[in-house]
Every structure is written in C-alpha cells, then in structure tokens.
C-alpha cells in the first residue's frame, strides 16, 4: 500500500504525493518545482496527476510536470484543467498506475462548481482527498456555489467512515481552530485538538491528515444540526435561524469576516 507524503507548496498548500516502489502520483500539483525536487531526490517516476478543482494553486504545476512525464491527468469533467486526459464525475473509479490504489469520485460542488473528491482505501484505512472543500475544522469559501450546494457536499464527506483519513489542500488548521472556538467555546474536543495542533506546528509538522470522526466532533461547518451551533449562529445573525443551510450560510459569512 502506498505511503502518502505532504509536499508543502506556496504559503500553505499541500501537494499530496502517493508512492509505492518507484512509482509516485500527485494530488493537486499547484507547483511543479517541489514535486520535481522530491521525485529526483527519491528516484521516483511520476505515473499520474490527480486534480480536485481548477484553481491555480492546485493545477499550476501540471504543464511543467507533463513536459517531463507523459502521464494521465485526472480531473473534474465540469472544469478546465490543464492537460486533463481523464474527465471525471461522481461514480467514476480510477486505478492509479504503479500505485495499486483504486479511487472513486464524488461530486462536491460549492468552493468551485465542478469540484470533485477522491475516496480510496490504503490497507486498513479509508482515505479522502478533498482539495479545498473540507479542511481541518473548516471548509472552503463559496467561490462558485451556494450554501445549499456546500451543505450537500459536506454531508457526503461527513457520511464517510469515521476512520477515513482526510487529506486537505491547505494547512489552515490553527486559523480554523480560532474561529471554531469562537463559535463553540464549550467544545472540549476543540481544546484538545488545539493543544495537539499547536505542538505539531511548533515542531514544523503538518496537522493533516485529519479524520472524518474528528471533523464531525469539532468542525462547525459539519455541525450545523447541533443546538450549540444553531444558537451561536442565530445570536450572531441576531435572528432565529431555522434550517441547516441558514446556519451554514451564517457561520460561513461570520468566518469570512473573522480576524
Ligand atoms: Zn481552491
Ligand atoms: Fe487552494
């Protein structure tokens, strides 16, 4: 089963690299240089490029990688992805050459209109690559979708097995924690995660992957059905919010303005 390695890029992106033997595949190769450095240092051959959505910090390295390795580029059918060879939508399954990993595709619009996620299983653990839709204790901004789209997409991800390892596109954990604690100051599990995440960042380690179980317990954007979250969102809105989409929309707007 493949090893999954974070390659930091730009200020806070992670390019996730899966390796098995001499083969490697990358998820969301926003920048080619750190990927090429890693592949050369480790004497690995690239076998696939996998893309969750069209933003430059997730696909910006595709062309340069394709100049060195002619490999399939898997990406969402409904978006423009540089070099894409395989257009994917929900229900599609792919097998990554040389890695021995099968991934199935979910449509998770909201951050972008065609955003997709990849679900697989490495050994005992299910895994998820979710780009900029679900973050540790946060979620992506709604650039091309409605609150209702995003709630539906996040529900799909929250329904995955609790032990699913969640590989997100950015290291946003500490900032997300600050906001999550403002919404839900009484959540003891959030305090626990804060201690752990601070220690990890002090050591220079990623706080990812997270798990679906941890996100269900701490991520305000997955907890819109909880009384505590609805009360906090209603207080912030200064009116009673009745449904989950309304609660989600309020905390998403609250987070956008949060400093
Ligand atoms: Zn993005
Ligand atoms: Fe991004």
């Amino acid at each position: 089963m493949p090893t999954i390695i974070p390659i930091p890029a730009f200020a806070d992106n992670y390019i996730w690299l899966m390796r098995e033997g001499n083969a490697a595949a990358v998820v969301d190769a926003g920048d080619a240089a750190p990927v090429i450095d890693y592949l050369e240092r480790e004497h690995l051959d690239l076998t696939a490029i996998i893309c969750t959505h069209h933003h430059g910090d997730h696909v910006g390295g595709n062309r340069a990688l394709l100049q060195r390795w002619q490999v399939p580029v898997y990406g969402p059918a409904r978006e423009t992805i540089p070099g894409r060879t395989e257009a994917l939508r929900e229900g599609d399954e792919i097998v990554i050459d040389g890695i021995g990993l099968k991934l199935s595709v979910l449509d998770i619009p909201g951050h972008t209109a065609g955003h997709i996620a990849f679900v697989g299983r490495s050994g005992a653990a299910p895994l998820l690559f979710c780009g900029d839709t679900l973050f540790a204790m946060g979620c992506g901004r709604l650039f091309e979708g409605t609150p209702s789209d995003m709630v539906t997409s996040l529900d799909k991800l929250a329904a995955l097995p609790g032990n699913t390892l969640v590989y997100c596109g950015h290291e946003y954990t500490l900032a997300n924690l600050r906001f999550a604690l403002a919404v839900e100051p009484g959540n003891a599990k959030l305090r626990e995660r804060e201690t752990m995440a601070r220690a990890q960042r002090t050591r220079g380690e990623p706080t990812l992957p997270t798990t679906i179980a941890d996100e269900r317990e701490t991520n305000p954007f997955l907890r819109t059905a909880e009384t505590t979250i609805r009360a906090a969102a209603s207080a912030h809105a200064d009116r009673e919010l009745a449904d989950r989409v309304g609660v989600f929309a309020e905390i998403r707007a609250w987070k956008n303005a949060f400093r």
Side-chain angles (χ1 to χ4, degrees):
M1 58 192 169
T3 311
I4 303 178
I5 289 139
I7 298 181
F10 309 117
D12 48 35
N13 280 77
Y14 289 125
I15 300 165
W16 294 103
L17 182 142
M18 298 179 264
R19 58 180 291 180
E20 178 70 59
N22 296 322
V26 283
V27 181
D28 286 352
D31 193 4
V35 174
I36 292 171
D37 285 351
Y38 184 87
L39 294 172
E40 284 185 341
R41 194 166 63 240
E42 298 290 323
H43 307 288
L44 298 172
D45 250 327
L46 189 66
T47 62
I49 299 170
I50 297 164
C51 315
T52 62
H53 68 292
H54 69 87
H55 285 159
D57 63 317
H58 298 254
V59 300
N62 288 10
R63 293 279 182 213
L65 291 173
L66 288 170
Q67 277 172 13
R68 301 228 355 207
W69 294 277
Q70 279 80 58
V71 297
V73 177
Y74 299 95
R78 295 187 292 148
E79 298 191 349
T80 304
I81 303 292
R84 188 188 62 206
T85 60
E86 316 291 329
L88 304 177
R89 43 175 57 83
E90 182 150 318
D92 287 340
E93 286 197 337
I94 62 176
V95 177
I96 306 302
D97 227 21
I99 307 290
L101 188 66
K102 188 164 79 176
L103 296 172
S104 54
V105 177
L106 295 175
D107 285 330
I108 50 166
H111 176 68
T112 62
H115 200 305
I116 59 175
F118 296 87
V119 181
R121 173 173 285 274
S122 175
L127 58 86
L128 166 69
F129 297 106
C130 55
D132 287 356
T133 298
L134 177 63
F135 296 120
M137 290 162 284
C139 76
R141 285 177 188 253
L142 304 182
F143 289 118
E144 300 173 9
T146 64
S148 167
D149 292 335
M150 194 59 145
V151 167
T152 303
S153 295
L154 291 174
D155 281 350
K156 274 188 206 176
L157 303 183
L160 295 170
N163 63 340
T164 302
L165 295 170
V166 182
Y167 296 90
C168 318
H170 291 266
E171 178 64 62
Y172 287 158
T173 306
L174 289 181
N176 288 343
L177 255 163
R178 261 192 352 105
F179 176 71
L181 280 164
V183 178
E184 210 177 3
N187 185 332
K189 175 77 182 178
L190 267 176
R191 304 276 173 197
E192 219 178 90
R193 291 194 75 181
E194 184 182 31
T195 306
M196 177 133 81
R198 279 189 195 290
Q200 286 169 318
R201 295 310 290 151
T202 301
R203 294 193 298 265
E205 295 169 5
T207 60
L208 302 172
T210 178
T211 66
I212 290 294
D214 279 354
E215 293 313 308
R216 285 187 206 132
E217 280 185 70
T218 53
N219 191 321
F221 299 99
L222 298 187
R223 294 170 59 73
T224 49
E226 299 289 324
T227 315
T228 49
I229 302 285
R230 178 150 48 93
S234 296
H236 189 262
D238 210 12
R239 66 193 165 87
E240 198 53 43
L241 298 167
D243 60 53
R244 291 183 55 222
V245 172
V247 171
F248 175 87
E250 183 62 28
I251 57 174
R252 186 58 263 180
W254 182 0
K255 171 82 162 58
N256 290 349
F258 190 75
R259 293 288 172 270

